[in-house]
Structures are given as structure tokens and as C-alpha cells.
Amino acid sequence: MNIKQKLYSLGAIAILGIIVLMASTFHFSRTTDQLSQAKLLVAELEIRLLNLRRNEKDFLLRSDSKYLGRFNDNMTLFLQTESELASLLKQHDLPSSAKLREDILAYQKGFQNLVAGFETFGLDDKSNLLGAFNAELEKLRPSLNSGQLIALAEFSDLAVGGS
């Protein structure tokens, strides 16, 4: 091998090394971008989870079924974001978010059952079971004396309070 051939082979090896270096840099850059995207998706999931909690608290405080609709809208966004995150995690052989999805769906089902229970009980004093109970109390009031009215009021408070 003469000097010219050695120079060509060293040049070819250098060019091959630069190509491999550029390919690995591109790969690591792409991986870093995808993991950064996953980090943003986790932050978005956290925001959605806080919105779900807010919708739940608003329902409990205001007894208005419109918050179930808002809850379900936020849940849809949460599940879409979780699906995007799940695909990124799977691409990089990271732990799955399937347990998160399972738990959040159980949370949604529980909240829907809670709202259904509140609606059956009555969201205000005039609707459903609570409304019927209050209507019957009003029918009884005129025929009772003061002692019975006090006992009835105590019973009503206990019944409405769930005791």
C-alpha cells in the first residue's frame, strides 16, 4: 500500500466516521425531541386532571349537572393526550400508561355514578326524592302542633343529611 492509497482509505474512514456521527446525533436529537414532547404531554395531563377535580368540586358545591358535561369534555381531552403519550412511551420501550388510563376511567365511572345518585336524590329542594319528601312535609305541617313541628324539623334535617 502506498501513501496515496493510505491517504484515500483514511479519508474514507474519516468521512464514514462523520456520517456515523451525524446519524447518531440526528437519532439522539430526534429521541430528545420526542421525550421532550412526552414531558409536555405529562404536564398537559396534569392540567387536565386538575380541571377534572375542579369540575367535580364545582358539581359538589353547586349541585348543577352541567359540570358533568364539562367533566366528560375534559375527560375526552385527557384520554386523547394519554393516547399520544402511550404511543411515545411504547416507541421508546418505557413503562406503559395503561394503569393510568384504567384508573382515570374508573374515576370517570365513579363520578358519573355520584352525579346519577345526586340527581336521583334531587339537585334542589323541589326535584326528585328530595322534592317529594319536602312536598309531603308541607302537607303535614298544618296539622301538627309546635312540639311535633320541632320533631319533624329535626327528622327532616337528619333525613336530608343522610343520617
Side-chain angles (χ1 to χ4, degrees), residues 74-93:
N74 278 318
M75 183 60 72
T76 300
L77 293 172
F78 185 95
L79 293 173
Q80 288 171 352
T81 304
E82 187 276 332
S83 294
E84 292 176 38
L85 179 63
S87 68
L88 281 174
L89 294 175
K90 188 175 182 179
Q91 285 177 2
H92 295 286
D93 294 326

PDB file of all heavy atoms in Angstrom, residues 74-93:
ATOM      1  N   ASN A  74     -63.511  17.330  29.531  1.00  0.00           N
ATOM      2  CA  ASN A  74     -62.123  17.294  29.990  1.00  0.00           C
ATOM      3  C   ASN A  74     -61.574  15.867  29.997  1.00  0.00           C
ATOM      4  O   ASN A  74     -60.391  15.652  29.726  1.00  0.00           O
ATOM      5  CB  ASN A  74     -61.999  17.925  31.381  1.00  0.00           C
ATOM      6  CG  ASN A  74     -61.926  19.426  31.327  1.00  0.00           C
ATOM      7  OD1 ASN A  74     -61.256  20.000  30.478  1.00  0.00           O
ATOM      8  ND2 ASN A  74     -62.641  20.082  32.219  1.00  0.00           N
ATOM      9  N   MET A  75     -62.442  14.914  30.301  1.00  0.00           N
ATOM     10  CA  MET A  75     -62.010  13.513  30.294  1.00  0.00           C
ATOM     11  C   MET A  75     -61.642  13.081  28.876  1.00  0.00           C
ATOM     12  O   MET A  75     -60.651  12.372  28.674  1.00  0.00           O
ATOM     13  CB  MET A  75     -63.107  12.603  30.854  1.00  0.00           C
ATOM     14  CG  MET A  75     -62.706  11.150  30.939  1.00  0.00           C
ATOM     15  SD  MET A  75     -61.277  10.823  31.996  1.00  0.00           S
ATOM     16  CE  MET A  75     -61.991  11.082  33.611  1.00  0.00           C
ATOM     17  N   THR A  76     -62.408  13.515  27.885  1.00  0.00           N
ATOM     18  CA  THR A  76     -62.101  13.187  26.488  1.00  0.00           C
ATOM     19  C   THR A  76     -60.733  13.746  26.106  1.00  0.00           C
ATOM     20  O   THR A  76     -59.913  13.038  25.501  1.00  0.00           O
ATOM     21  CB  THR A  76     -63.191  13.753  25.555  1.00  0.00           C
ATOM     22  OG1 THR A  76     -64.442  13.169  25.920  1.00  0.00           O
ATOM     23  CG2 THR A  76     -62.892  13.437  24.108  1.00  0.00           C
ATOM     24  N   LEU A  77     -60.473  14.987  26.483  1.00  0.00           N
ATOM     25  CA  LEU A  77     -59.160  15.600  26.199  1.00  0.00           C
ATOM     26  C   LEU A  77     -58.046  14.862  26.935  1.00  0.00           C
ATOM     27  O   LEU A  77     -56.959  14.647  26.391  1.00  0.00           O
ATOM     28  CB  LEU A  77     -59.168  17.081  26.587  1.00  0.00           C
ATOM     29  CG  LEU A  77     -60.086  17.971  25.754  1.00  0.00           C
ATOM     30  CD1 LEU A  77     -60.168  19.369  26.364  1.00  0.00           C
ATOM     31  CD2 LEU A  77     -59.619  18.031  24.317  1.00  0.00           C
ATOM     32  N   PHE A  78     -58.309  14.467  28.179  1.00  0.00           N
ATOM     33  CA  PHE A  78     -57.320  13.728  28.969  1.00  0.00           C
ATOM     34  C   PHE A  78     -56.981  12.410  28.280  1.00  0.00           C
ATOM     35  O   PHE A  78     -55.800  12.064  28.132  1.00  0.00           O
ATOM     36  CB  PHE A  78     -57.873  13.463  30.373  1.00  0.00           C
ATOM     37  CG  PHE A  78     -56.884  12.811  31.303  1.00  0.00           C
ATOM     38  CD1 PHE A  78     -56.123  13.568  32.164  1.00  0.00           C
ATOM     39  CD2 PHE A  78     -56.716  11.431  31.317  1.00  0.00           C
ATOM     40  CE1 PHE A  78     -55.210  12.969  33.022  1.00  0.00           C
ATOM     41  CE2 PHE A  78     -55.809  10.823  32.156  1.00  0.00           C
ATOM     42  CZ  PHE A  78     -55.049  11.603  33.023  1.00  0.00           C
ATOM     43  N   LEU A  79     -58.004  11.688  27.839  1.00  0.00           N
ATOM     44  CA  LEU A  79     -57.775  10.382  27.214  1.00  0.00           C
ATOM     45  C   LEU A  79     -57.059  10.503  25.870  1.00  0.00           C
ATOM     46  O   LEU A  79     -56.232   9.657  25.525  1.00  0.00           O
ATOM     47  CB  LEU A  79     -59.098   9.630  27.064  1.00  0.00           C
ATOM     48  CG  LEU A  79     -59.748   9.202  28.381  1.00  0.00           C
ATOM     49  CD1 LEU A  79     -61.131   8.631  28.141  1.00  0.00           C
ATOM     50  CD2 LEU A  79     -58.865   8.222  29.131  1.00  0.00           C
ATOM     51  N   GLN A  80     -57.345  11.568  25.111  1.00  0.00           N
ATOM     52  CA  GLN A  80     -56.629  11.800  23.853  1.00  0.00           C
ATOM     53  C   GLN A  80     -55.146  12.063  24.129  1.00  0.00           C
ATOM     54  O   GLN A  80     -54.273  11.510  23.452  1.00  0.00           O
ATOM     55  CB  GLN A  80     -57.230  12.986  23.107  1.00  0.00           C
ATOM     56  CG  GLN A  80     -58.581  12.719  22.502  1.00  0.00           C
ATOM     57  CD  GLN A  80     -59.233  13.986  21.949  1.00  0.00           C
ATOM     58  OE1 GLN A  80     -58.755  15.094  22.146  1.00  0.00           O
ATOM     59  NE2 GLN A  80     -60.353  13.810  21.268  1.00  0.00           N
ATOM     60  N   THR A  81     -54.877  12.884  25.120  1.00  0.00           N
ATOM     61  CA  THR A  81     -53.490  13.204  25.473  1.00  0.00           C
ATOM     62  C   THR A  81     -52.778  11.956  25.978  1.00  0.00           C
ATOM     63  O   THR A  81     -51.618  11.709  25.628  1.00  0.00           O
ATOM     64  CB  THR A  81     -53.455  14.312  26.539  1.00  0.00           C
ATOM     65  OG1 THR A  81     -54.184  15.447  26.050  1.00  0.00           O
ATOM     66  CG2 THR A  81     -52.042  14.727  26.860  1.00  0.00           C
ATOM     67  N   GLU A  82     -53.477  11.161  26.777  1.00  0.00           N
ATOM     68  CA  GLU A  82     -52.876   9.934  27.294  1.00  0.00           C
ATOM     69  C   GLU A  82     -52.560   8.960  26.162  1.00  0.00           C
ATOM     70  O   GLU A  82     -51.545   8.267  26.202  1.00  0.00           O
ATOM     71  CB  GLU A  82     -53.826   9.292  28.313  1.00  0.00           C
ATOM     72  CG  GLU A  82     -53.241   8.093  29.040  1.00  0.00           C
ATOM     73  CD  GLU A  82     -53.363   6.791  28.273  1.00  0.00           C
ATOM     74  OE1 GLU A  82     -54.308   6.656  27.470  1.00  0.00           O
ATOM     75  OE2 GLU A  82     -52.506   5.910  28.468  1.00  0.00           O
ATOM     76  N   SER A  83     -53.399   8.917  25.137  1.00  0.00           N
ATOM     77  CA  SER A  83     -53.136   8.045  23.981  1.00  0.00           C
ATOM     78  C   SER A  83     -51.868   8.470  23.251  1.00  0.00           C
ATOM     79  O   SER A  83     -51.061   7.630  22.842  1.00  0.00           O
ATOM     80  CB  SER A  83     -54.313   8.064  23.015  1.00  0.00           C
ATOM     81  OG  SER A  83     -55.438   7.486  23.601  1.00  0.00           O
ATOM     82  N   GLU A  84     -51.700   9.783  23.078  1.00  0.00           N
ATOM     83  CA  GLU A  84     -50.471  10.286  22.454  1.00  0.00           C
ATOM     84  C   GLU A  84     -49.249   9.909  23.286  1.00  0.00           C
ATOM     85  O   GLU A  84     -48.232   9.467  22.747  1.00  0.00           O
ATOM     86  CB  GLU A  84     -50.531  11.812  22.316  1.00  0.00           C
ATOM     87  CG  GLU A  84     -51.543  12.322  21.325  1.00  0.00           C
ATOM     88  CD  GLU A  84     -51.610  13.842  21.316  1.00  0.00           C
ATOM     89  OE1 GLU A  84     -50.548  14.489  21.444  1.00  0.00           O
ATOM     90  OE2 GLU A  84     -52.724  14.381  21.200  1.00  0.00           O
ATOM     91  N   LEU A  85     -49.368  10.080  24.596  1.00  0.00           N
ATOM     92  CA  LEU A  85     -48.262   9.736  25.490  1.00  0.00           C
ATOM     93  C   LEU A  85     -47.975   8.237  25.444  1.00  0.00           C
ATOM     94  O   LEU A  85     -46.809   7.828  25.409  1.00  0.00           O
ATOM     95  CB  LEU A  85     -48.592  10.164  26.923  1.00  0.00           C
ATOM     96  CG  LEU A  85     -47.542   9.845  27.977  1.00  0.00           C
ATOM     97  CD1 LEU A  85     -46.244  10.588  27.681  1.00  0.00           C
ATOM     98  CD2 LEU A  85     -48.057  10.187  29.362  1.00  0.00           C
ATOM     99  N   ALA A  86     -49.011   7.418  25.414  1.00  0.00           N
ATOM    100  CA  ALA A  86     -48.829   5.965  25.387  1.00  0.00           C
ATOM    101  C   ALA A  86     -48.041   5.531  24.152  1.00  0.00           C
ATOM    102  O   ALA A  86     -47.164   4.664  24.238  1.00  0.00           O
ATOM    103  CB  ALA A  86     -50.177   5.261  25.432  1.00  0.00           C
ATOM    104  N   SER A  87     -48.326   6.155  23.006  1.00  0.00           N
ATOM    105  CA  SER A  87     -47.595   5.770  21.796  1.00  0.00           C
ATOM    106  C   SER A  87     -46.123   6.180  21.889  1.00  0.00           C
ATOM    107  O   SER A  87     -45.241   5.428  21.464  1.00  0.00           O
ATOM    108  CB  SER A  87     -48.250   6.365  20.554  1.00  0.00           C
ATOM    109  OG  SER A  87     -48.114   7.767  20.534  1.00  0.00           O
ATOM    110  N   LEU A  88     -45.851   7.353  22.461  1.00  0.00           N
ATOM    111  CA  LEU A  88     -44.446   7.764  22.639  1.00  0.00           C
ATOM    112  C   LEU A  88     -43.719   6.840  23.608  1.00  0.00           C
ATOM    113  O   LEU A  88     -42.566   6.465  23.378  1.00  0.00           O
ATOM    114  CB  LEU A  88     -44.372   9.210  23.153  1.00  0.00           C
ATOM    115  CG  LEU A  88     -44.569  10.308  22.127  1.00  0.00           C
ATOM    116  CD1 LEU A  88     -44.615  11.670  22.811  1.00  0.00           C
ATOM    117  CD2 LEU A  88     -43.461  10.284  21.089  1.00  0.00           C
ATOM    118  N   LEU A  89     -44.389   6.473  24.691  1.00  0.00           N
ATOM    119  CA  LEU A  89     -43.767   5.582  25.663  1.00  0.00           C
ATOM    120  C   LEU A  89     -43.478   4.216  25.046  1.00  0.00           C
ATOM    121  O   LEU A  89     -42.424   3.621  25.293  1.00  0.00           O
ATOM    122  CB  LEU A  89     -44.663   5.427  26.892  1.00  0.00           C
ATOM    123  CG  LEU A  89     -44.868   6.681  27.748  1.00  0.00           C
ATOM    124  CD1 LEU A  89     -45.874   6.408  28.853  1.00  0.00           C
ATOM    125  CD2 LEU A  89     -43.546   7.176  28.323  1.00  0.00           C
ATOM    126  N   LYS A  90     -44.408   3.745  24.236  1.00  0.00           N
ATOM    127  CA  LYS A  90     -44.223   2.437  23.595  1.00  0.00           C
ATOM    128  C   LYS A  90     -43.061   2.473  22.605  1.00  0.00           C
ATOM    129  O   LYS A  90     -42.281   1.523  22.521  1.00  0.00           O
ATOM    130  CB  LYS A  90     -45.514   2.030  22.892  1.00  0.00           C
ATOM    131  CG  LYS A  90     -45.490   0.618  22.362  1.00  0.00           C
ATOM    132  CD  LYS A  90     -46.828   0.225  21.798  1.00  0.00           C
ATOM    133  CE  LYS A  90     -46.783  -1.219  21.324  1.00  0.00           C
ATOM    134  NZ  LYS A  90     -48.085  -1.652  20.795  1.00  0.00           N
ATOM    135  N   GLN A  91     -42.928   3.580  21.847  1.00  0.00           N
ATOM    136  CA  GLN A  91     -41.831   3.713  20.881  1.00  0.00           C
ATOM    137  C   GLN A  91     -40.465   3.605  21.553  1.00  0.00           C
ATOM    138  O   GLN A  91     -39.515   3.103  20.967  1.00  0.00           O
ATOM    139  CB  GLN A  91     -41.904   5.059  20.161  1.00  0.00           C
ATOM    140  CG  GLN A  91     -42.966   5.171  19.125  1.00  0.00           C
ATOM    141  CD  GLN A  91     -43.010   6.577  18.523  1.00  0.00           C
ATOM    142  OE1 GLN A  91     -42.220   7.445  18.871  1.00  0.00           O
ATOM    143  NE2 GLN A  91     -43.956   6.788  17.620  1.00  0.00           N
ATOM    144  N   HIS A  92     -40.380   4.088  22.782  1.00  0.00           N
ATOM    145  CA  HIS A  92     -39.088   4.131  23.469  1.00  0.00           C
ATOM    146  C   HIS A  92     -38.958   3.053  24.545  1.00  0.00           C
ATOM    147  O   HIS A  92     -38.067   3.123  25.398  1.00  0.00           O
ATOM    148  CB  HIS A  92     -38.873   5.516  24.077  1.00  0.00           C
ATOM    149  CG  HIS A  92     -38.771   6.585  23.034  1.00  0.00           C
ATOM    150  ND1 HIS A  92     -37.657   6.747  22.248  1.00  0.00           N
ATOM    151  CD2 HIS A  92     -39.658   7.518  22.615  1.00  0.00           C
ATOM    152  CE1 HIS A  92     -37.850   7.744  21.413  1.00  0.00           C
ATOM    153  NE2 HIS A  92     -39.060   8.227  21.596  1.00  0.00           N
ATOM    154  N   ASP A  93     -39.838   2.062  24.502  1.00  0.00           N
ATOM    155  CA  ASP A  93     -39.810   0.944  25.452  1.00  0.00           C
ATOM    156  C   ASP A  93     -39.784   1.418  26.901  1.00  0.00           C
ATOM    157  O   ASP A  93     -39.047   0.882  27.738  1.00  0.00           O
ATOM    158  CB  ASP A  93     -38.602   0.027  25.174  1.00  0.00           C
ATOM    159  CG  ASP A  93     -38.722  -0.675  23.845  1.00  0.00           C
ATOM    160  OD1 ASP A  93     -39.862  -1.011  23.453  1.00  0.00           O
ATOM    161  OD2 ASP A  93     -37.686  -0.879  23.175  1.00  0.00           O
TER     162      ASP A  93
END
